């Protein structure tokens, strides 16, 4: 019989949220009320003022850490319309989902499905932002170009595989050339079957990503795909972050203009290509200008090709503009996309043309297969005027020039047509007639004014050519109706309203009502709208009279209707009058208020003028030139309404009579000093008024404005930022009122312009090996960056590079826009500022590297590579650094030790050989310090007759076995080697190889030089000779320190010493046995004592362990006792609290 299973008894929870809920239910059952929760004391106050101060300080430090030094760049103060699209690069190893990510983002932004991705893709992502997407190919050249120009990097990582080497290589490139914004994207998460493993992988990759970028960097997870696209919500979330991210201008990009070409055209003349297919080409590159302004004549560097001057630089229409009006949400028409290399956007702009690309599958109106044109009338789409027009153009057989020569113009229905063949003759006749008319106008002006029958010659003049036809010249304000009626003339809708206002005044002066005026205007509009060809004959006389009456006066023709223009300006600028000087405005109105060249009319407000009054007649004398000199003083001024002269204002100055040729000078009514005093007083009043208004405006802004721009800021960062913004505003306001073309000549084309760069003498290999997936970076060069020289940098070997770097081994450097190969020399600076050459780079420290290359400003980042090949499986970034200084030469020295031996020795002088080869070499080193192996110092004195021998002096006598050293420093000059990386001109670029690579490729062994081999040292044993003191020296020594005296002194101090030396103790055989026995007994005694000590130590250690164990048991027992006591006290306290609470509730 099976035994029954004894399960563990369930223990109910006594703590935690579940136990608290159970306890509350029990209290509710007993009392009928829910217990009141006590407030958390920590939630409403702080326990320590020190902790609160530390927390506040920490928060402030976090805010200050986010601050960056404000930089003055071309983008500061620019509007969203002026800024170019931000470059977003999608970077990652192959097969991680880069193309799919870009397609999904384009689908999210523009709702378009893109199948082919080549080159940059420009699109409108919002009402204030445009984006340029670019996919970075998997090669170092493209990574370097993208890292120099990108604003935001989407780092795509395959979560199922982890980080790959290309990812860290690109991050190191970004760190060198300026770190932009980086966001990570994890893909292939759907390959994980276990959720625990997925979460663990996410956490691991996130923390590794944070180590490389910064703590808290954005990392997005794309969990899977549907129909070849990532999930819509995840892509939408990523797109929102891209649309709102803020970019910081980087130092190199802010100081150099650059263009990411989204289109390339080969515009070489076909004749040159036919003659020589390998001739240099002329290309046109198109793209948005970024960085800073680009000026005419600036030299540019095309990455992977070389440096070129820009032949022609033009600004074109923006192919992907932002919407003019800022909507709340973009509609489908405003979601523009432009990518010529990917066949997105069918409109392409050029310097003098616009190209519309119509795909073949969308062309429905073409010729029949047999070559016969389609009949527009028989087509189903003949109702469409555009389609029929194109089909007519397809059937055209005659060139347009011949058609123009044979064309004719029929102005009226029943008139003779005007042939184009008579155009030249008629133009000559027109010119002659216009000259005759001009002469007649000068003579007959007065007659035309008196008679009133001439009208406007430009409207009613009739010409009679030799062929007898009557031709009427059309006025400039009339146009032909293009709606199919060639006979009808229609007034232009863009005419000014001066004639209408003048007609209204004239009709009022004739006593016409406004209603009649409106009816006349309606009649005129109806006449313009009617399409009957004979309408022009109706009421011709009346309309001719009206056109004469409403014609502009001579004053209006010459000077324009200034009064009307000023009234319009005043209406538009009512809000700005508060900040304008009032005196100047009144003065200008006084000058233009009344036309002084014509009589006062009723509309001028002079209806009650009495022309019989002599004062009124005298006021008109200044209108006549011949009487102005005979006027009395003060009569030539303007007459005010009260009849008094106004001597302060002089409307007319010096002038010349065109009929008689006499010159007249306007007389001043006041002395010159008085006029100057009045002008100064007026200026002072204007300045005071302006200052007063400015102070009022400042006070108003200070009180009511939300921003405290005018107040003095106490924050240093705010002051620095304000100064940068102020300088940017000044720069933008300098040429704000200039014409765009003129402004481009001064400061160059501004950022955000869509430019066309025409470049000559480009190698044909650029066209032959052109790859649209490879980014075309066109970087502008400053004038100082075109020369070559020596560059000194501070470099450090990358910690992941396999081998240390050797001096004069070729390296590929990426500095600025360029990539080139050079041979660096490594050195280190000693304490005495001497640059000492190093054969190899240090393992874990910086060193100086000097090489030959293009001049680059200091503080520019450097990345060095030994090879750009894809076959290199290791980490390809060999070293990183920064430019320190530039010069045409640097002093780098190498340690050189010269060795010589003495062949003749005197007291302190010796003759040395085998150190130099000639007397000239000795002469160069005269006075140099030398030293022997034993440490005796000396100096080179003079050369001897033998070649290379010299005399040297030492501070002591040297031996013939001594070796003499001379430490020197030999200057080293870097090799002038500069090899640009022309990766765009070949399929795979290979530069100079190192000696190791050549030997490995050819299978050569390292040459064995006998002088470079280490040989075993064979030293003769040195026989030390005894010290012999000469007898003469002993006699000369003092008596106290002689040998005999020292011996006697020792014997005197120790008398037994002499006896011990003289006698020797010899034991008997019995005594020897006793001595040996005693020695054995003593040995046994010592061993026994040693064993006793060891046993004592063991007993003591065992006792200590037992005591320690008992002590721990006692402490544990006491602890359990205390727990029981505290628990009992807590239960008793809880029961007392419950009883008290119950008593309170009962009493209540």
């Amino acid at each position: 019989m099976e035994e029954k299973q004894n399960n563990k008894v369930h223990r109910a929870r006594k703590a935690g949220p579940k136990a608290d809920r159970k306890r509350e239910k029990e209290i509710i059952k007993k009392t009928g009320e829910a217990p009141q929760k006590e407030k958390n004391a920590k939630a409403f106050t702080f326990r320590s003022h020190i902790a609160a101060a530390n927390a506040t300080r920490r928060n402030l430090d976090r805010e200050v850490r986010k601050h960056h030094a404000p930089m003055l760049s071309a983008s500061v103060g620019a509007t969203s319309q002026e800024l170019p699209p931000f470059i977003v690069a999608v970077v990652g190893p192959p097969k991680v989902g880069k193309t799919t990510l870009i397609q999904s983002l384009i689908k999210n932004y523009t709702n378009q499905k893109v199948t082919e991705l080549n080159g940059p893709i420009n699109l409108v992502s919002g009402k204030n932002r445009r984006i340029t997407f670019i996919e970075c190919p998997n090669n170092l050249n493209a990574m370097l170009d993208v890292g120099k120009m990108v604003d935001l990097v989407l780092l795509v990582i395959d979560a199922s595989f982890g980080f790959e080497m290309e990812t860290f290589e690109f991050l190191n490139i970004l760190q060198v050339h300026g770190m932009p914004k980086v966001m990570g994207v994890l893909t292939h998460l759907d390959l994980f079957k276990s959720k625990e493993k997925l979460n663990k992988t996410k956490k691991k990759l996130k923390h590794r990503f944070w180590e490389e970028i910064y703590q808290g960097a954005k990392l997005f997870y794309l969990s899977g795909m549907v129909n070849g696209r990532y999930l819509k919500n995840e892509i939408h979330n990523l797109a929102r972050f891209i649309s709102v991210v803020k970019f910081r201008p980087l130092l190199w990009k802010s100081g150099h203009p650059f263009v990411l070409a989204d289109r390339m055209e080969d515009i070489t003349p076909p004749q040159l290509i036919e003659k020589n297919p390998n001739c240099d080409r002329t290309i046109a590159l198109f793209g948005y200008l970024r960085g800073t302004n680009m000026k005419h004549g600036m030299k540019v560097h095309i990455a992977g090709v070389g440096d070129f001057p820009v032949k022609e630089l033009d600004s074109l229409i923006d192919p992907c503009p932002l919407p003019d009006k800022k909507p709340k949400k973009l509609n489908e028409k405003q979601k523009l996309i432009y990518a010529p290399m990917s066949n997105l956007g069918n409109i392409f702009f050029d310097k003098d043309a616009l190209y519309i690309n119509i795909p073949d599958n969308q062309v429905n109106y073409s010729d029949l297969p047999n070559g016969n044109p389609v009949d527009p009338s028989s087509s189903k789409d003949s109702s469409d005027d555009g389609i029929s027009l194109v089909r007519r153009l397809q059937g055209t057989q005659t060139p347009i020039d011949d058609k123009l020569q044979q064309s004719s113009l029929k102005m009226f229905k029943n008139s003779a047509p005007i042939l184009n063949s008579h155009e030249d003759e008629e133009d000559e006749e027109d010119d002659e007639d216009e000259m005759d008319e001009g002469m007649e106008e000068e003579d007959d002006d007065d007659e035309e004014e008196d008679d009133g029958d001439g009208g406007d010659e430009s409207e009613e003049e009739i010409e009679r050519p030799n062929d007898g036809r009557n031709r009427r010249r059309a006025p400039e304000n009339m146009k032909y109706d293009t709606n199919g009626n060639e006979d009808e003339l229609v007034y232009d809708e863009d005419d000014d309203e001066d004639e209408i206002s003048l007609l209204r005044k004239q009709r009022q002066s004739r006593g016409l009502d406004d209603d009649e005026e409106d009816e006349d205007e309606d009649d005129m509009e109806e006449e313009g709208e009617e399409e009957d060809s004979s309408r022009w004959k109706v009421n011709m006389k009346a309309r001719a009279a009206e056109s004469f009456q409403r014609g502009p006066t001579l004053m209006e023709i010459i000077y324009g209707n200034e009064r009307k223009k000023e009234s319009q300006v005043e209406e538009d600028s009512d809000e700005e009058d508060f900040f304008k000087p009032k005196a100047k405005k009144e003065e200008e109105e006084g000058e233009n208020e009344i036309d002084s060249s014509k009589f006062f009319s009723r509309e001028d407000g002079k209806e009650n003028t009495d022309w019989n009054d002599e004062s009124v007649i005298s006021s008109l004398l200044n209108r006549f030139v011949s009487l102005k000199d005979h006027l009395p003083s003060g009569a030539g001024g303007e007459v005010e309404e009260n009849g008094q002269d106004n001597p302060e204002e002089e409307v007319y100055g010096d002038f010349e009579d065109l009929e008689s040729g006499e010159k007249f000078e306007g007389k001043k009514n006041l002395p010159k000093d008085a006029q100057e005093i009045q002008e100064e007083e007026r200026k002072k009043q204007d300045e005071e008024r302006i200052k007063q208004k400015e102070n009022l405006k400042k006070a108003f802004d200070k009180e009511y404005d939300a921003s405290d721009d005018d107040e003095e800021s106490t924050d240093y960062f705010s002051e620095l930022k304000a100064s940068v913004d102020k300088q940017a505003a000044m720069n933008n306001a300098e040429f704000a009122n200039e014409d765009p073309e003129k402004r481009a000549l001064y400061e160059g084309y501004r950022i955000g312009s869509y430019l066309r760069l025409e470049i000559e003498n480009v190698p044909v290999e650029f066209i032959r090996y052109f790859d649209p997936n490879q980014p075309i970076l066109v970087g502008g060069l400053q004038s100082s960056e075109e020369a070559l020289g020596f560059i000194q940098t501070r470099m450090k070997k990358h910690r992941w590079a396999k081998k240390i770097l050797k001096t004069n081994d070729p390296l590929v450097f990426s500095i600025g826009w360029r990539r080139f190969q050079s041979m660096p020399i490594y050195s280190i600076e000693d304490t005495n500022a001497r640059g000492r050459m190093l054969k190899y780079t240090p393992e874990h420290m910086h060193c100086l590297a000097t090489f030959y290359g293009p001049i680059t400003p200091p503080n520019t980042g450097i990345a060095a590579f030994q090879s750009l090949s894809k076959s290199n499986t290791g980490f390809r970034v060999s070293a990183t650094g920064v430019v320190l200084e530039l010069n045409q030469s640097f002093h780098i020295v190498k340690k050189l030790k010269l060795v010589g031996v003495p062949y003749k020795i005197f007291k302190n002088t010796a003759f040395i050989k085998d150190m130099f080869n000639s007397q000239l070499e000795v002469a160069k080193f005269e006075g140099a310090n030398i030293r022997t192996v034993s440490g005796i110092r000396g100096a080179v004195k003079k050369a001897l007759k033998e070649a290379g021998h010299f005399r040297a002096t030492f501070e002591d006598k040297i031996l013939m076995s001594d070796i003499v050293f001379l430490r020197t420093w030999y200057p080293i000059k870097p090799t002038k080697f500069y090899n640009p990386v022309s990766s765009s001109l070949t399929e795979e670029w290979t530069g100079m190889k190192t000696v190791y690579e050549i030997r490995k490729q050819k299978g050569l062994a390292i040459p064995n030089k006998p002088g470079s081999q280490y040989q075993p040292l064979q030293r003769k044993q040195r026989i030390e000779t005894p010290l012999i003191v000469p007898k003469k020296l002993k006699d000369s020594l003092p008596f106290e320190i002689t040998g005999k005296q020292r011996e006697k002194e020792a014997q005197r101090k120790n008398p037994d010493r002499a006896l011990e030396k003289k006698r020797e103790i010899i034991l008997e055989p019995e005594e020897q046995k006793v001595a040996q026995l005693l020695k054995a007994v003593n040995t046994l005694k010592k061993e026994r004592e040693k064993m006793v000590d060891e046993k004592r130590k063991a007993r003591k250690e065992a006792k200590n362990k037992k005591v320690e164990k008992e002590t721990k048991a006692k402490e544990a027992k006491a602890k359990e006792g205390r727990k029981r006591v505290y628990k009992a006290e807590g239960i008793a306290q809880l029961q007392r609290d419950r009883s008290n609470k119950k008593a309170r509730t009962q009493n209540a």
Side-chain angles (χ1 to χ4, degrees), residues 170-180 211-213 798 861:
F170 187 74
L171 288 176
N172 279 272
I173 291 171
L174 293 182
Q175 291 171 359
V176 168
H177 295 296
M179 195 70 179
E211 288 181 6
E212 291 295 328
I213 311 300
H798 200 279

Side-chain angles (χ1 to χ4, degrees), residues 823-843:
M823 301 171 64
I825 291 181
Y826 305 110
S827 61
I828 192 170
E829 189 174 358
D830 291 338
T831 54
N832 54 359
R834 181 195 296 119
R836 180 163 55 88
M837 192 198 80
L838 299 175
K839 191 174 183 180
Y840 298 98
T841 55
E843 189 68 29

Side-chain angles (χ1 to χ4, degrees), residues 507-562:
R507 292 195 177 193
Q508 290 176 0
S509 63
R510 294 197 302 269
L512 296 176
D513 296 333
D514 294 339
D515 298 335
E516 297 178 1
E517 180 183 354
D518 296 339
E519 291 177 0
D520 293 341
E521 292 179 358
D522 296 337
D523 293 339
M524 293 174 63
E525 293 177 359
E526 291 178 359
E527 291 175 4
E529 294 175 356
E530 292 180 358
E531 298 181 355
D532 190 5
S533 60
S534 61
R535 173 64 70 180
W536 64 277
K537 298 179 182 179
V538 178
N539 203 9
M540 184 185 297
K541 186 175 181 181
R543 285 192 286 108
E546 289 179 3
S547 64
F548 167 72
Q549 292 177 358
R550 70 166 180 260
T553 62
L554 181 63
M555 184 66 182
E556 292 175 349
I557 293 173
I558 297 175
Y559 298 101
N561 198 348
E562 295 292 332

Side-chain angles (χ1 to χ4, degrees), residues 403-681:
K403 281 194 172 185
L404 288 175
Q405 291 294 334
Q406 299 173 6
S407 63
S408 62
L409 176 64
K410 191 174 182 180
M411 298 185 63
F412 304 105
K413 187 173 183 181
N414 299 325
S415 63
I418 303 171
L419 299 177
N420 195 22
S421 59
H422 300 286
E423 184 178 1
D424 298 336
E425 298 177 1
E426 292 171 359
D427 290 342
E428 294 178 0
E429 293 176 2
D430 294 343
D431 296 339
E432 293 177 359
D433 294 341
E434 288 175 2
M435 292 175 63
D436 297 337
E437 291 163 9
M439 297 296 293
E440 293 175 1
E441 284 177 2
E442 293 180 0
D443 298 334
D444 300 338
D445 282 343
D446 297 336
E447 295 178 3
E448 291 176 1
E449 290 179 1
D450 297 335
D451 297 337
D453 296 330
D456 192 354
E457 288 186 357
S458 63
E459 294 183 6
E460 298 293 331
E461 181 183 359
I462 300 175
E463 295 184 359
R464 294 179 175 83
N466 297 331
D467 58 357
R469 291 186 294 108
N470 294 334
R471 297 178 58 190
R472 294 201 310 166
R473 181 175 297 169
E476 295 180 356
N477 59 348
M478 297 175 69
K479 292 184 178 180
Y480 290 103
D481 186 10
T482 59
N483 294 329
N485 300 326
E486 298 179 354
D487 300 338
E488 184 176 356
L489 299 177
V490 182
Y491 279 93
D492 191 3
E493 296 178 357
D494 296 334
D495 291 341
D496 295 334
E497 297 179 0
D498 297 343
E499 295 181 2
I500 298 174
S501 61
L502 182 61
L503 179 62
R504 186 177 290 111
K505 289 182 180 180
Q506 291 175 352
R507 292 195 177 193
Q508 290 176 0
S509 63
R510 294 197 302 269
L512 296 176
D513 296 333
D514 294 339
D515 298 335
E516 297 178 1
E517 180 183 354
D518 296 339
E519 291 177 0
D520 293 341
E521 292 179 358
D522 296 337
D523 293 339
M524 293 174 63
E525 293 177 359
E526 291 178 359
E527 291 175 4
E529 294 175 356
E530 292 180 358
E531 298 181 355
D532 190 5
S533 60
S534 61
R535 173 64 70 180
W536 64 277
K537 298 179 182 179
V538 178
N539 203 9
M540 184 185 297
K541 186 175 181 181
R543 285 192 286 108
E546 289 179 3
S547 64
F548 167 72
Q549 292 177 358
R550 70 166 180 260
T553 62
L554 181 63
M555 184 66 182
E556 292 175 349
I557 293 173
I558 297 175
Y559 298 101
N561 198 348
E562 295 292 332
R563 183 176 180 183
K564 182 177 182 301
K565 293 180 181 179
E566 289 178 359
S567 64
Q568 292 177 354
V569 173
E570 290 174 0
E571 291 175 1
D572 296 336
S573 60
D574 289 337
E575 298 177 358
E576 299 177 0
D577 290 342
F578 181 74
F579 304 102
K580 289 185 178 179
K582 186 175 180 182
K584 186 175 181 181
K585 183 178 177 182
E586 294 175 356
E587 183 179 355
E588 292 175 354
E589 291 178 358
E591 292 180 359
N592 299 324
E593 186 176 5
I594 299 176
D595 188 357
S596 59
S597 64
K598 54 187 178 183
F599 277 112
F600 298 115
S601 60
R602 294 184 181 182
E603 56 267 24
D604 292 328
K606 303 294 182 180
E607 295 181 353
N608 301 325
T609 304
D610 187 7
W611 296 108
N612 295 324
D613 192 356
E614 294 182 358
S615 61
V616 176
I617 295 173
S618 63
S619 66
L620 299 176
L621 295 179
N622 63 341
R623 313 296 186 194
F624 301 92
V625 175
S626 59
L627 298 177
K628 193 168 185 179
D629 293 335
H630 304 286
L631 292 175
S633 61
E638 289 290 321
V639 179
E640 298 180 352
E641 293 181 359
N642 55 5
Q644 296 179 359
D645 296 341
N646 185 8
E648 295 181 0
E649 296 184 0
E650 181 184 350
V651 178
Y652 298 97
D654 301 342
F655 67 95
E656 179 181 358
D657 189 0
L658 298 177
E659 295 181 356
S660 62
E662 298 181 4
K663 295 183 179 180
F664 298 90
E665 297 181 356
K667 293 186 177 182
K668 308 294 188 293
N669 296 325
L670 292 176
K672 187 174 181 180
D673 297 338
Q675 290 181 358
E676 292 179 353
I677 292 172
Q678 289 183 357
E679 290 179 358
E680 290 179 357
E681 290 179 355

Side-chain angles (χ1 to χ4, degrees), residues 687-836:
E687 291 177 357
E688 291 178 358
R689 191 179 298 108
I690 291 171
K691 289 182 179 179
Q692 185 178 3
K693 291 183 177 181
E694 288 179 353
N695 294 333
L696 290 174
K697 185 176 182 299
K698 287 182 179 180
F700 180 83
D701 293 342
K702 183 178 179 180
E703 185 175 358
Y704 293 102
D705 285 359
S707 60
D708 300 331
D709 296 336
D710 296 333
E711 297 181 3
E712 295 183 0
S713 177
T714 57
D715 187 7
Y716 173 74
F717 178 75
S718 302
E719 292 178 358
L720 191 61
K721 191 174 181 181
S723 64
V724 172
D725 294 340
K726 183 178 179 181
Q727 184 63 40
M730 292 173 60
N731 296 345
N732 294 332
E734 183 67 24
F735 300 101
N737 298 326
E738 295 289 344
D739 184 70
E741 296 181 358
K742 190 175 181 181
R743 184 173 184 176
L745 294 175
Y746 288 133
E747 63 173 359
Y749 290 104
R750 308 186 71 192
I751 61 170
S753 305
Y754 191 77
L755 297 185
R756 176 186 183 271
L757 292 85
E758 185 175 336
I759 300 173
E760 289 183 327
N761 301 325
V762 179
V764 68
E765 289 79 8
F766 180 70
I767 306 297
R768 187 174 300 163
Y769 297 104
F770 176 73
D771 183 9
N773 293 319
Q774 185 75 16
I776 305 174
L777 174 61
V778 183
L781 300 175
Q782 305 294 343
S783 58
S784 60
E785 298 173 2
E786 300 175 7
L788 296 175
F790 289 105
I791 306 173
Q792 190 171 76
T793 64
R794 183 175 64 246
M795 290 183 61
K796 182 181 180 182
K797 184 190 79 70
H798 200 279
R799 64 186 184 277
W800 292 347
K802 288 185 177 180
K803 296 182 180 180
I804 58 177
L805 306 177
K806 184 180 178 182
T807 291
N808 280 331
D809 269 1
L811 277 182
V812 177
F813 294 95
S814 174
I815 308 178
W817 303 125
R818 296 183 174 97
R819 302 189 300 272
F820 59 92
Q821 194 177 36
S822 187
M823 301 171 64
I825 291 181
Y826 305 110
S827 61
I828 192 170
E829 189 174 358
D830 291 338
T831 54
N832 54 359
R834 181 195 296 119
R836 180 163 55 88

Side-chain angles (χ1 to χ4, degrees), residues 1015-1033:
Q1015 298 177 356
L1017 295 177
Q1018 296 179 358
R1019 298 184 184 273
K1020 296 180 181 180
Q1021 187 175 1
R1022 188 183 180 97
I1023 301 173
E1024 297 290 341
T1025 57
L1027 181 60
I1028 300 174
V1029 181
K1031 188 177 180 181
K1032 291 183 179 180
L1033 183 60

Side-chain angles (χ1 to χ4, degrees), residues 5-208:
Q5 183 178 358
N6 294 326
N7 295 328
K8 190 176 181 181
V9 181
H10 174 69
R11 291 183 297 176
R13 292 183 61 87
K14 297 181 180 180
K18 189 173 181 181
D20 293 339
R21 288 195 297 270
K22 190 174 181 180
R23 198 176 297 115
E24 289 179 4
K25 290 180 181 179
E26 293 177 356
I27 295 173
I28 292 172
K29 286 182 180 179
K30 293 180 180 179
T31 61
E33 295 180 1
Q36 295 182 359
K37 295 183 179 180
E38 297 182 358
K39 292 183 178 180
N40 185 5
K42 294 183 179 179
F44 298 95
T45 183
F46 52 86
R47 298 178 61 185
S48 171
H49 66 280
I50 299 176
N54 292 337
T56 306
R57 191 179 298 108
R58 177 176 172 272
N59 293 333
L60 294 175
D61 290 342
R62 287 181 61 190
E63 292 180 3
V64 173
R65 258 189 244 112
K66 297 178 182 178
H67 292 169
H68 297 279
M71 293 174 56
L72 183 61
S73 61
S75 60
V76 177
T79 61
S80 59
Q81 295 282 355
E82 298 173 350
L83 291 176
F86 296 108
I87 300 176
V88 179
V90 181
V91 185
K95 305 297 181 181
V96 295
K98 300 190 294 295
T99 304
T100 309
L101 178 60
I102 295 178
Q103 291 174 345
S104 302
L105 287 170
I106 293 174
K107 180 71 174 177
N108 178 79
Y109 281 121
T110 63
N111 201 19
Q112 294 189 22
K113 185 177 180 180
V114 181
T115 58
E116 182 183 4
L117 291 180
N118 290 324
I121 299 175
N122 307 300
L123 55 86
V124 177
S125 64
K127 58 184 179 180
N128 292 321
R129 176 166 291 191
R130 294 175 292 178
I131 292 176
T132 298
F133 284 108
I134 183 170
E135 181 180 348
C136 181
N138 185 34
N139 61 76
L140 274 179
N141 295 303
M143 290 182 185
L144 289 169
D145 293 339
V146 170
K148 296 171 186 177
M149 62 183 174
V150 69
D151 296 311
L152 173 64
V153 176
L154 296 181
L155 206 59
V156 186
I157 303 161
D158 185 357
S160 63
F161 184 84
F163 287 98
E164 299 184 43
M165 200 63 76
E166 289 85 352
T167 304
F168 292 109
E169 288 174 350
F170 187 74
L171 288 176
N172 279 272
I173 291 171
L174 293 182
Q175 291 171 359
V176 168
H177 295 296
M179 195 70 179
K181 293 283 185 180
V182 180
M183 293 195 298
V185 179
L186 291 183
T187 59
H188 296 82
L189 295 176
D190 52 345
L191 299 180
F192 289 91
K193 304 302 179 183
S194 173
K195 189 174 182 181
E196 295 180 357
K197 187 176 181 181
L198 175 62
N199 295 334
K200 187 177 181 181
T201 305
K202 282 183 179 180
K203 186 176 181 181
K204 178 182 176 182
L205 295 177
K206 179 180 69 173
H207 288 285
R208 186 68 183 89

